Amino acid sequence: MDGQLWIWIVVAVVIIAVIVAVVVYGRRAKNAANRKRAADLREKARADALGAHERSAEAARAAADAARAESEAERLHREAADKQKAAERANEVSQDRLRRAEELDPDAGKRSDPDSAGSRRDRDDDGGRRERDDDRGDGEGRRDPRP
């Protein structure tokens, strides 16, 4: 029986060795697969980081474009306001010249002008016509160059 016992012991050791070999090989295969998956994940993470960096750069460019557009819009608003003021000043000058022309024209009261609300003349307290400094002229519509 001694021989049979030895055979059973050898068979048990071989079976145990095969089991250990399968477990070790399985762990190595699993570790290799995990390393490969980890490398793939790292590569994807790098690609994602690069994409995120590019999107961040695009966002910064868009923000700069928006700031530039806002600055341009503000400049255009200022320019429009300046032009509006210039137009209003030109209109005031035109209206002032028309009013002065009406004041100087001896026939102004005889016309029927629907735009004018009557001939408005500056008068002093006793009812006489008062000449304004800026209305002084030489009789032909030219102004006196003296201040």
Side-chain angles (χ1 to χ4, degrees), residues 9-28:
I9 292 175
V10 171
V11 169
V13 169
V14 169
I15 291 175
I16 292 173
V18 169
I19 292 173
V20 168
V22 168
V23 169
V24 169
Y25 179 76
R27 282 188 184 165
R28 285 185 184 168

Side-chain angles (χ1 to χ4, degrees), residues 5-80:
L5 182 63
W6 281 105
I7 292 176
W8 284 109
I9 292 175
V10 171
V11 169
V13 169
V14 169
I15 291 175
I16 292 173
V18 169
I19 292 173
V20 168
V22 168
V23 169
V24 169
Y25 179 76
R27 282 188 184 165
R28 285 185 184 168
K30 183 179 177 183
N31 287 342
N34 285 343
R35 282 187 192 99
K36 185 173 179 355
R37 277 188 258 148
D40 290 343
L41 286 174
R42 284 186 190 101
E43 187 61 34
K44 287 179 183 177
R46 284 186 199 111
D48 290 345
L50 181 60
H53 182 68
E54 288 173 357
R55 284 188 291 277
S56 177
E58 288 174 12
R61 279 191 296 274
D65 290 345
R68 220 178 351 252
E70 287 174 356
S71 175
E72 179 68 10
E74 288 174 10
R75 185 190 64 78
L76 290 173
H77 281 296
R78 284 191 305 271
E79 184 178 320

Side-chain angles (χ1 to χ4, degrees), residues 48-125:
D48 290 345
L50 181 60
H53 182 68
E54 288 173 357
R55 284 188 291 277
S56 177
E58 288 174 12
R61 279 191 296 274
D65 290 345
R68 220 178 351 252
E70 287 174 356
S71 175
E72 179 68 10
E74 288 174 10
R75 185 190 64 78
L76 290 173
H77 281 296
R78 284 191 305 271
E79 184 178 320
D82 291 345
K83 287 182 179 183
Q84 180 64 34
K85 287 177 186 176
E88 289 171 359
R89 282 191 300 267
N91 189 33
E92 288 172 3
V93 167
S94 173
Q95 292 298 321
D96 189 46
R97 286 183 181 158
L98 284 174
R99 184 185 47 75
R100 280 189 270 149
E102 289 294 318
E103 290 173 354
L104 292 173
D105 189 0
D107 296 329
K110 297 177 184 174
R111 291 188 190 139
S112 61
D113 188 4
D115 291 340
S116 68
S119 176
R120 203 183 92 182
R121 296 202 171 134
D122 293 336
R123 302 200 178 270
D124 35 317
D125 294 337

